[in-house]
Amino acid sequence: MLCWFIVEKYKLKLKISKILKYALVHDLVEVYAGDVSIYKNTPKKVKSAKEHKSFQKLQKQFPHLEDMWSTISKYEKRTDAESKFVYIIEKLEPIFVVILSEQDHWIKRNVSIDDFIDRKQSKIKDISSFAQMFNKETMDYLQKNKHKFFKK
C-alpha cells in the first residue's frame, strides 16, 4: 500500500499494476524459507538457496499459478523500474514502522547506527530508482536523530 501511495502522490510514471503484483508476491518464498533478519549474518548464498528451494516447492504445489511465478522471477531479477522501486520501499518500510511506533527497537537489540545503515545500504545503495530519495531522507533523519533510536 505504501508503494501505491507514493506512486500516486508523486505521480510517478510507473505501472501500478506491476507494483501491486510485486508488492504482493515479494516475500512469498519466505513461506518455507523463512524471513532472515538483518541482524543475523546469514550468507547471501544460504538465503538464496533456501528461497530457491521454497520457490520450487511452491511451484510444484501450485503449478497453475504461472503468472505469479513469473512475477516473482521478474521481481527477483530487479531489471525493471517497478521491481527496483518496490525493493527499495520494502527495505525502508520497517524503518518507518520503528520510527512511528517502536522507537527503542534498535536500542533493545544493541544495534549501532553505523552497523544498521551499512547493512541496509549494502542491499539498496546501487539500485537506481525514485525511491532513493526516500532512502536518503530516511538515512539523514536517522543520523540526525540517532540518539533517539540507537545505542550510544
Side-chain angles (χ1 to χ4, degrees):
M1 289 174 51
L2 182 58
C3 292
W4 187 359
F5 168 77
I6 293 169
V7 169
E8 295 277 323
K9 170 87 174 143
Y10 292 91
K11 297 176 180 32
L12 302 180
K13 293 185 185 333
L14 298 173
K15 293 179 184 171
I16 197 69
S17 60
K18 275 179 122 175
I19 285 178
L20 293 175
K21 281 178 151 183
Y22 289 144
L24 284 169
V25 302
H26 78 278
D27 279 342
L28 190 60
V29 295
E30 292 177 4
V31 166
Y32 295 116
D35 191 10
V36 177
S37 170
I38 68 164
Y39 307 119
K40 292 184 179 176
N41 291 320
T42 305
K44 185 170 175 59
K45 282 185 178 182
V46 171
K47 180 181 183 294
S48 294
K50 282 184 173 182
E51 288 178 353
H52 182 70
K53 189 174 179 179
S54 177
F55 182 69
Q56 289 177 320
K57 186 174 181 177
L58 287 163
Q59 282 182 298
K60 190 174 180 179
Q61 285 181 302
F62 305 99
H64 57 284
L65 299 175
E66 294 97 357
D67 186 45
M68 187 178 295
W69 310 134
S70 171
T71 300
I72 291 172
S73 293
K74 289 175 188 171
Y75 175 75
E76 289 299 324
K77 290 176 185 166
R78 282 186 280 291
T79 56
D80 61 21
E82 290 82 0
S83 61
K84 292 173 185 179
F85 178 82
V86 171
Y87 185 76
I88 292 173
I89 297 300
E90 188 267 334
K91 298 300 179 207
L92 295 175
E93 183 269 337
I95 299 170
F96 304 151
V97 171
V98 170
I99 290 169
L100 296 171
S101 63
E102 190 187 354
Q103 295 183 356
D104 63 347
H105 177 85
W106 298 303
I107 294 169
K108 283 183 193 175
R109 287 159 180 80
N110 204 30
V111 176
S112 73
I113 188 166
D114 294 333
D115 183 47
F116 177 79
I117 289 176
D118 287 347
R119 287 174 191 258
K120 279 292 183 180
Q121 295 308 296
S122 70
K123 295 181 176 207
I124 63 176
K125 69 180 177 192
D126 295 326
I127 298 174
S128 176
S129 170
F130 175 82
Q132 284 294 1
M133 175 186 80
F134 298 106
N135 179 38
K136 181 180 179 340
E137 288 178 4
T138 303
M139 296 307 125
D140 290 349
Y141 177 83
L142 290 176
Q143 283 286 6
K144 184 178 176 183
N145 295 281
K146 61 186 171 188
H147 63 282
K148 186 175 181 178
F149 300 108
F150 294 91
K151 70 178 186 172
K152 304 215 182 316

